[in-house]
Each structure stands twice: as C-alpha cells, then as structure tokens.
Amino acid sequence: MKITLKVWRQKNANSPGWFKTYQSPALNENMSFLEMLDVVNEELANRGEEPIAFDHDCREGICGTCSCVINGKPHGPHKGIATCQTYMRSFRDGDTIVVEPFRAKAFPIIKDLVVDRKAFDRIQHAGGFISVRTGSAPDANAIPVPKENADLAMDAAQCIGCGACVAACKNASAMLFVAAKVSHLGLLPQGQPERYKRVKAMVTQMDEEGFGACTVTGSCEAVCPKEISLDFIARMNRDYGVSLLKGEPKKIAGGGAA
Amino acid sequence: MTTLNSNIPSGPLSQKWESYKFNTKLINPANKRKYKIIVVGAGLAGASASATLAELGYEVHNFVFHDSPRRAHSVAAQGGINAAKNYQNDGDSVRRLFYDTIKGGDFRAREANVHRLAEVSVNIIDQCAAQGVPFAREYGGLLDNRSFGGAQVSRTFYARGQTGQQLLLGAYSALNKMIGQGAVKSYTHSEMLDLVVVDGHAKGIIVRNLQTGDITKHNADAVVLATGGYGNVYNLSTYARGSNVTASWRAYKRGACFGNPCYTQIHPTCIPVSGDYQSKLTLMSESLRNDGRVWTPKKKEDCKKNPADIPEADRDYYLERMYSAFGNLAPRDIASRAAKTVCDEGRGIGETGLGVYLDFSDAIKRLGENKVRERYGNLFAMYHEITNEDAYKTPMRIYPAVHYTMGGLWVDYNLMSNVPGLFVLGEANFSDHGANRLGASALMQGLSDGYFVLPATISGYLATQKPDKRPNIDNPAFKQAEENVQTLTKKLLGNKGKRTPASFHKELGKLMWDYCGMARNKAGLEKGIKLISELREEYWKNVNVLGEAGEWNQQLENAGRVADFIELGELMCRDALHREESCGGHFREEYQYTPDDPETKQGLVNPGDVKRRDDAFAYVAGWEYAGAPDKAPVLNKEPLIYEEVHMSTRSYK
C-alpha cells in the first residue's frame, strides 16, 4: 500500500509551522504507524531532507511518549490504544493521512510533532503522591484494601500521562489526567491522610499551568488510550469541593517540637 | 590491569548485610546536605534512589533523557515482582528466594549480593503498598500472588499486566514529592554524554540538553548510573527504542570495567518477527505461562495447518515433556532454547517457521473465558492489535526475543564500580542475576538497589570525601570531557557520508543476532568480531547526520548511541568467545550435555542442555578499556567464591 502524508512541520516554538505533503514509499499493512514514519524518515534522510521529528519510545502503548493527532483524532482512529499501537491496516491504499502535534497552550511545540508536556510533571510535584519515607512502611498485608477499591484505583492508575485528553478537549483541559491521579490515591486507605490537601494542590497547579476548564463533553474519555472513565472527574470534583469546605488545615498549638 | 575486589563483608551469609549496615560509616544529618549526588536515570532504580537519597538529606540532581522521569522503560514490565513474603504459606523463605535466584542464574552471580536481594525483597513490597501501588488483591483485601518461571512457589506480586508501570509510578511519585520540596533538582530531556573523573574519582558528568543542544558540566561528590540495559545492541528487542548503552559506555571508556557483557536474556514469549521494517518486538508476559501451554506439532507436515485441526495426540507440549518438574514454567533461557530447538527441527509454526504456540484453550475450559480475561485481558488485547488474531479462540504465536541484559558495569558489594565514586544500579550493573535472570526479578533488583542498598552503602564512600570539597566545574578534567563531547558532535555532523545511523544499527543488530545470539560458537564469534570492527570503521567513514547541534535533533542523538552500540557489540562477541563454557543465556554450541554424560544418564539434564565449566570459568569477566576502540580490551577476573551454596548441576527436570 501507499499513502499520502500531510504532516505538520515546525522548526521550534518560535517559528511558524505549516503542513507539508509527502508520498510514502511502498508500505506493508502490518507496519505500525510509527514504523511507517520510520520508513518515510529514512527515505527523507537518504534524500538529504531533515526527518520528521516525532515522540516515541516503548512502542507498546505504556510509556505515554508517543502523541500525534491523526486525521483529527489524538492517537488515531481506534479506541483504547495509543499511536504506537495503531497499524497501517487501519488505513486504505491511497488514503491521505493528516498528522499534527497535540495542540494546547500548556503543551508548547518543541519541533514538528513533538510537544513539551512538562506541565503534567509539575502538577504531580504539587501533590501526586502519598508521603511515605523509605523504610517506614508497615507490613503490606497490615492494610487490607477491598478488592473493588483496589480494582477501581487500578483503573485510574493506568493513566500513561500522554496528554491525549488535553489534545482532544476544546478547552485543552487536563481534568481527566488530574482526576485519574487524584482518584487512584484517594480510593486507597493509604491515601486518606493527604486526600484533600492533595486534590487542592494539584488542581491549583493545573490551573496555573494554563489548562482550560472542564465542560464535561467527554472527548477526553473517548480518546484516552487507557479508556479512563469520566466518572473520575466527578469523583475529583467532589473531593475538591470538600477540600474547599474544609478550608486550610488548623494549626494545632504546641503540636510541633519545641 | 585492575584488581576487582568484591568487598564482600565477612561473617555467615545470612548475617552479612546486617553486620555490614552496622559497621559502615555514616554521615551525620547536618553534613548530608553538604554532599551533592548526581543520579542518571529515573527508572525503578534511579527514581527510588533519587527519592530516598533526598529523604536522607543529600542534595540530589537527577538526569533523564526522556521528557519526564515517568517514561523510563521499567514502565513496560508486565508480569510482576518477586518477594519472599510467604503470604501463600507454600514454603517460601528468604533462603528459598536466594537459592532459586542463584540457581536460576546458573551459579554465575555473586552469592552475597543475591542473599541481600532476597532479604530486602520483603521491604520493597511493604514500601510500594504504602505508596499506593494498586497491587492485585483477593476478596479479603489481602495481596494476591502468582507464579513465575524457575520457582515452585507463588511469590510474584502484580498489578494486572502493568506491574512495572505501577511500581515506576510509585517511585516517580516519591521522586515528585522530593522535587516539589526542592530536595531533588530534576533535569529532563538531558542526556549524559561523558563521565568526569578527577584524580581517579567520579566527580561529575557532561550533559546535552536535547531541546536546546546546550552542553553543560555538572559536578558532584558521587555519580550514580541507573541507565538500564543494552539489549538494543540487537536493534530488534523488547526494549524501548530510546534505551541505550551510552551512559554506561562512556563510563567504560573512562575506566569502569564492563562485567560479563555477553550475558543476554532472550525471552521465550514474544510476538514473532513479521518483516524487515520492524522497529521493535513485543513481549507477551511470562505470567501467561501460568495458564498457557506451549506446544508445536509433532509432525513437520502439520506446521502450516490451522492449529485447531491438529489433534491432541499430534501435539508436542515440549516443555512439559522435557522439564516435567517445572513444565511451562521452566526458566527463560531454557524455554527459549527449547523453542529454538523445535524450530530448528523444522517444527516451527507461522509464515516464517520461527514460532511456537502458546495455547489457552485448557485454561479457558478450566476457568472460563472471563477469568482468563480478568487475569490477562490487556495482554490478549495487545496481541490482537499487533497480529489481528483472537487468542481466546486460537493459540498465540510466540518466539524468543532479546529482552534483558544480565551483564553491565562491574560493581562491588557497595554497588560501586572500580572507579571510586561511581555507583551503578539496576539493569545497568552486572551483579545479581548471573548468566540468566528469573522472571519478576528485575523489578525486585531495581527497587532493592534504589530504595535500600545504595542509600545504605553510599555513605561509606562519602565518609572518605570531605564535605563541600567536590571539584569545581572549572577543573581541567571537566573542560577536557566537555571538549570530548563537542568534538564527537562535530565529527558526527561534519562527516557527511552516505548512510543513516539507523541503517548501521539494523546491520549491527543482524550481525549480533546471527553471531552472538541464542547459540554461539567459536567460528561465528570470530567472524562477528571481524565484521563488527569493519562496520565500526565504515561508520566513521560513511555515516550521515542531518540537522544542527543547537536544536532538537533525534538523528544526532541516535548517531551517538549507535556508535557506542557498535563498539559494545564487538566487546560482547569477545566476551562470548573467551567464555569457553555454556551457562544460563550464554550457550556455546561446543559445550552442551550429550546423551553419554553421567548427568544426562542420571536424568538431571537433557542432551543439549548448557554445560558449565566451573573449574575454568567460575569468575566474573570485567573488561577494561584499552584506550582505543581497535585495541583489545584487558580481561580482569573476579573469582566467584561460594561460601554456602554448592555449584551444582542446574536441573529443572
């Protein structure tokens, strides 16, 4: 099979970008989408043209590095998988495929299809953890967790941090990403002591990074490669509301060391 | 020549770690903040070490080439993590985990390190559960376990088929907390390109910012490499495309010895190669062998048939037949070699004939499709995406692929290399898995090194270094290393040859697979060395790298990594050539059991199983760089002295 590629090329965040059209060499339908880009890039390089920059690493749908909006949809045509697990058999011979970077104010373009998603890390720095110093943990079976809760926490914890939810959202909201982390930790008994402090800190940082507001259209869930449920956003909103009602934690007089 | 002193503490095996911790020098809390430690890598080992060192009070600087520490390839580990908890009451213990691991490694690991690993394993599970890692649970709320290869107990903890992801996110969250507090400074998109050695001690690194191309110098009191394995030397592997040997290799070129580079793990259950365009092979977790049965047709003429049309009597469940005590849960090296053997006999399946079946029909009959879906649903889905086949209805096709490297930079009991101040953790070091790693042991080792071992051992070195006295980055050694990196970058960009770095990588991978793959022999290895050294010469004449140094340039990044892989490939062949024995994943065709050997007659082994030569090769090979890629490296040996375990014949029958 052969395809026509319309790819976004942009030297860096400060330069303008544009679509450039390439004809692919002969392809095999069992190639992954990224292998198709490899083949196109090798041909470009052999002609002395600079290869298309794209993010990728594990190529098995778990590291969250690959991105790309393919024909208008983050991670391409299929539900529940990442770009790296999209195979050329999903397209037809002679198709034109449009490839763009994830677009969001909080994800500045680095080059071509590569964007900077460090804003996600900074949200995690603000509170995406349970504080447990190495060596201070009790025996693992000392904290039983109902299987239903553990399973639900795992559903949320599967998030690969790719940012497709942001790219799909008309407001470039990061709510699904933040809700996944908040829910994962908030559903577990280990996560209770910092539950409300955590959600407040993470939501505050999310807003500071310039992500938009959530209007519950559900486009995030529709493109999420791990099919993370919109329900987690409701869960986070409730926890966030409670955290506002609780206000700042009370300082206890004489609580600290003298 | 370098003397490789393992620095194993004295005393009985089971008390070495306890007494070591008591005897080691400590740094007082007020002084800890005066020491700066560089950690390169943020997989399980790097992230857990960075977080823990910062909790202790050290100033930690963490470097990753990824855009985020959460992307490290530990994230892709599927099956699980071992720990000697004995929650199943099935006879497990620290002693048993230790022994299984030593035996699994074919008696080529260091005894004291492995015992420490088994001891620490129980703390890891506690730590991870407390961090909120959503391990699989039973209905009573307690932790569930499953079985993995090379063990007869169920000691593997797991989080569906994404255990590595969840453990990594746990370590990443611990790291995030310390970054948020300002106790760790995190450098992302930052690739280490050289090690700085001042007066014989590792005191810094040279880093390229992948976004801007800026080259910067960073000093420290100690440098920790947690930069993963080097299986991408084969080009096609289950590794992430970005995984590389560059940090380790540049340290090797600064004097750190490379331990047992030829010990490579070829994992038995991967999706077979389908074409020349392929960039990566995908693992199907070993956990599938809990319920899947491996077979090929007994008759060659059945190989192209639909598997459903092959009656039970005409199927060869060869692992169950050859290794009845462990069956489908035989260790990885053994299961891989058996798959190769049946395919070499002409009984392989699929288009290429390089494949065997992994069949779940019995499990589905016994447990129902829903239970199988609950256990392995994401793996079946992944298999479907790649092959367009439904493994609930027809058996999976699998074949071995490069998956892990047991070799790595040589370290002593302190996890310190022969360059003082340079520590190496996780897959990047050589120490705990001998010649074959058991399933679910890599996650254990990465977290053991990072959470518990290094934080205890590094103080012994730092106590010998005066606080606040690390060399400044104006020191000539820093300038020299920076120039070294600049020169290499200029050379790659200025070469203007005719071939892409990727084309060289592909060619190298094929040479490595053909001559230093699952079966090796003298003539093949000699040929491999010759062809790879020619490839190295051609690389520097003919490689072409486009773009500029001062920008995001993936081809330039790759070009440096491929250059290192080529040199490493040659060293791996040399190591495999010199090791005139078979052990674990290192199979030299000249050294295998024959039907006439007494061990075969006693029923301990099968003809064709690996044959060790303990009289001549019970040592770690630590290769030392001789100053130029075309000069033969120097072989240093660390004898493996077993105080408590007897180096016996490894039997899984």
Side-chain angles (χ1 to χ4, degrees), chain B residues 298-310:
Chain B
K298 282 184 182 163
K299 297 182 250 171
K300 283 184 197 174
E301 55 271 27
D302 284 352
C303 290
K304 297 290 172 206
K305 278 190 190 164
N306 180 342
D309 298 336
I310 303 172

Side-chain angles (χ1 to χ4, degrees), chain B residues 268-344:
Chain B
T269 54
C270 302
I271 300 177
V273 176
S274 62
D276 183 48
Y277 51 79
Q278 215 159 350
S279 63
K280 130 124 208 164
L281 299 174
T282 304
L283 174 75
M284 289 285 105
S285 168
E286 176 163 316
S287 61
L288 292 168
R289 288 196 275 146
N290 271 283
D291 288 306
R293 298 177 71 195
V294 179
W295 64 275
T296 50
K298 282 184 182 163
K299 297 182 250 171
K300 283 184 197 174
E301 55 271 27
D302 284 352
C303 290
K304 297 290 172 206
K305 278 190 190 164
N306 180 342
D309 298 336
I310 303 172
E312 201 59 30
D314 290 338
R315 300 177 176 193
D316 178 15
Y317 294 91
Y318 58 85
L319 286 175
E320 297 169 29
R321 171 174 58 81
M322 293 162 73
Y323 303 97
S324 55
F326 284 71
N328 292 297
L329 285 173
R332 291 177 176 175
D333 55 331
I334 287 176
S336 288
R337 223 156 20 240
K340 183 179 186 301
T341 306
V342 295
C343 291
D344 289 349

